[in-house]
Amino acid sequence: MKIKLITDIDINSVKDLPKLKTLVEANNLDKPNFSEIARNLGVDRRTVKKYYIGADKKERKKKKSVIDDYYEIIKELLSDESSQMFYYKDHLFRYLQREHGLKCTRNNFNYYILKHEEFANYFKPKGNSNSIKTETELGKQAQFDWKEKIKFRFRNSEEIIINVGSLVLSASRQKVWLIYLSTSLDCVVDFLANAFETIGGVPKELVIDNATTMMLKARTELSDGTVNPKFQQFADDYGFKVVPCIKGRPQTKAKVENPMKIIDEIMTYNGVLDNIEQLHEKLEQITNEANTRICQSTGIPPILMYKKEREHLFPLPQEKICSSYKLSSIKVNVNTNALFSYKKKMYSVPSTLIGKKVTIKIIENNLHVYYNKKLITVHEIMENKKITYTEQHHLDMLKQTFRKHDGVEEYAIQHLRELEKFNEQLSNIT
């Protein structure tokens, strides 16, 4: 067996030194003069020795990500046992910022989620519908729609179905989102009247869908459709033009449709809030955040562009007209038991409202209770019950009374059952 040995080697850089080591060891030669090689290459002697022994590739320690501290939190939030829902990575990112103080860039967070397969599998890619991008002049247009039938559960397992009214100014993308338990025409005009008041004016035209509450006959490619006369009267009184989108073309109102996924962020609080007041506060926070983030289409936060767009809106009509379209309301006092009176029957509110005035609106045999324009709670109008307490309101009151006692929750349940029995006995007598 013949072996050809290499006895000559050119050392032009430190990268050639591993070859020299191989030659030296194969021929059982003495170690080379590192100082002489260093002088010839113009580098430090220690550098020569490092590359000769093969330590040029130093194994680096993996740098810990700040997001690693949130691994267990993310794991719990995305688990099958969690009632909270995160439809998009952005929802989870903003929730962690808002509720757990996460501080990192969105790109780093997305990369972190994607490199963890157990997290990446939670989020499924959403298909994008094609639509032509259009821009409108300041103050010309707003778009309206409902985010309907959102099933939400509170901490005590009570479930409600909510709808979120959405008004978006087409130029600035300024948004107004409010919670309603109904999508009736009365609620539509109440929402729009309050939304116009919030933005401080009225756009020249309003793009709507073909919901039967607003359109008696849908608009098609061959027909203009028929607007509900009551809604048309509302439009005439406020001075805007009704622009129904063509049936089957939701992209016509893409500026109000696209942000709907942001409204889904309220589901990140599913099962962790106590009442509808807290739900309203979280939606208000989500709305404010959406209005202050840079819009991808305009490159400007909606709130900044809105300040300019507000100057181009029509003025609001007279207060008398505005009031006529808002749901009929009554102002009532809350007594020391956190109860207010309606038609000689008592209904509960959170104990924080004791001694204050609340506004009640009657919608489809329900009392909608507001404080500072925020929906606090909803009670079904009861003809046969003298006192109606919700479980949470009742527990709040007892906690105020028995602050230093254990087992208040169990006592509250028992006391509420006794109260309901008393109501039944009282109704039988009357």
Side-chain angles (χ1 to χ4, degrees), residues 351-391:
S351 59
T352 53
L353 297 177
I354 289 175
K356 298 178 181 177
K357 282 183 178 290
V358 295
T359 301
I360 55 175
K361 297 182 179 181
I362 298 87
I363 307 173
E364 299 176 350
N365 201 45
N366 288 306
L367 295 177
H368 292 231
V369 187
Y370 293 81
Y371 182 72
N372 285 343
K373 296 184 178 180
K374 293 180 182 178
L375 182 61
I376 303 301
T377 189
V378 178
H379 287 288
E380 182 182 354
I381 296 176
M382 306 301 292
E383 300 295 339
N384 299 321
K385 286 181 72 173
K386 197 73 176 174
I387 302 174
T388 301
Y389 261 116
T390 68
E391 185 176 321

Side-chain angles (χ1 to χ4, degrees), residues 36 56 193 202 216 221 231 264 333 389 405 407:
E36 183 181 353
D56 56 314
V202 183
L216 296 182
E221 293 183 356
F231 187 71
D264 285 329
N333 292 312
Y389 261 116
H405 292 266

